[in-house]
Amino acid sequence: MEIKRTDTAVVFIDPQNDVLSEDGANWDAVGASVTENRTVENMERIFEAAKAGGYEVFISPHYFYPTDNGWRMNGPLETSELETHTFARSGQLDLTGFRNSGADWLDRFKPYIEDGRTVVASPHKVFGPETNDLVLQLRKRGIQRIVLGGMLANMCVESHMRHLIEEGFEVAVVRDATAGPRHPVWGDGYQAAIINYRFFAHALLSTDEVLDRMH
């Protein structure tokens, strides 16, 4: 898969404190994978290269509002997220308590995300981009190819990968710019995702490989 600034964008899923910070609500589950992959460092390297090289950058965030507590059916992860107040915000139009909360961006990513050029899509509500405007934002800018990373590898990142492929995009997943949870019963989410990336993605690359192709 070619990576060129004219039609390739970087898309990061959920670059937020609750899944990437040691103080986040999900660190016990994802911390080992984030640390081993150097996920935060590699995401930052890609942010920096994208900005320096003139690539479009898109964020697909995950937020839960108080009204989402009215959902009557949830999968195991959704149940856990609501119980731990993962990605919790005061409301759609209310930023009270948002700054530096679990739903906020990791501090070291803020200069890249809040530069006035990065496109922050509306929130995806479960795992994939079917419920937000990411695809519209990509189409409006003539994007055909995507460099994909973020969190969590086997959930939101994999769901975004699958849907974007169905929408006709070429997708390269960055294997060390993502990470997954480990659960004593459910298993290793990162390893499960890597297997599926190999089956579906147009490319499965390291950060070093992505940076080389971006130049």
Side-chain angles (χ1 to χ4, degrees):
M1 175 179 146
E2 284 189 281
I3 295 176
K4 51 186 182 179
R5 66 178 56 84
T6 55
D7 67 356
T8 306
V10 171
V11 176
F12 279 141
I13 316 303
D14 302 343
Q16 293 160 268
N17 286 322
D18 269 340
V19 289
L20 287 171
S21 168
E22 293 181 8
D23 298 321
N26 296 280
W27 188 253
D28 285 348
V30 303
S33 185
V34 170
T35 301
E36 289 168 11
N37 289 345
R38 296 180 59 82
T39 305
V40 172
E41 292 84 353
N42 288 325
M43 289 177 67
E44 186 170 23
R45 292 170 65 203
I46 294 170
F47 267 129
E48 185 176 17
K51 295 298 181 177
Y55 287 83
E56 298 252 27
V57 178
F58 296 76
I59 306 298
S60 181
H62 208 148
Y63 298 132
F64 287 112
Y65 306 124
T67 49
D68 295 327
N69 289 311
W71 292 358
R72 296 189 178 184
M73 53 179 158
N74 295 302
L77 182 66
E78 293 166 278
T79 299
S80 174
E81 287 174 328
L82 291 169
E83 287 176 350
T84 58
H85 305 290
T86 298
F87 305 132
R89 279 181 48 181
S90 298
Q92 289 175 282
L93 304 177
D94 187 352
L95 289 174
T96 302
F98 174 75
R99 205 69 177 167
N100 300 317
S101 70
D104 196 6
W105 321 124
L106 208 65
D107 273 342
R108 63 198 292 173
F109 295 161
K110 288 180 180 179
Y112 308 106
I113 299 175
E114 298 177 357
D115 66 350
R117 292 184 293 141
T118 295
V119 178
V120 179
S122 56
H124 57 274
K125 297 306 296 181
V126 185
F127 305 119
E130 297 89 340
T131 52
N132 72 1
D133 66 341
L134 176 64
V135 171
L136 173 67
Q137 296 289 354
L138 292 164
R139 295 286 191 209
K140 286 286 193 178
R141 288 164 177 79
I143 300 300
Q144 298 295 324
R145 300 177 176 91
I146 293 165
V147 173
L148 183 66
M151 296 293 281
L152 298 173
N154 59 318
M155 294 167 183
C156 296
V157 175
E158 183 173 329
S159 293
H160 276 70
M161 175 198 69
R162 288 172 179 263
H163 186 73
L164 291 168
I165 289 171
E166 296 279 3
E167 287 283 347
F169 295 96
E170 285 187 77
V171 181
V173 180
V174 192
R175 64 174 179 267
D176 54 3
T178 186
R182 291 174 183 164
H183 189 279
V185 176
W186 302 343
D188 188 325
Y190 176 74
Q191 293 301 327
I194 290 295
I195 291 169
N196 286 333
Y197 296 161
R198 291 192 181 109
F199 275 99
F200 290 100
H202 296 92
L204 180 60
L205 306 173
S206 69
T207 296
D208 287 342
E209 290 170 323
V210 167
L211 297 184
D212 183 62
R213 296 191 190 194
M214 288 177 79
H215 294 309

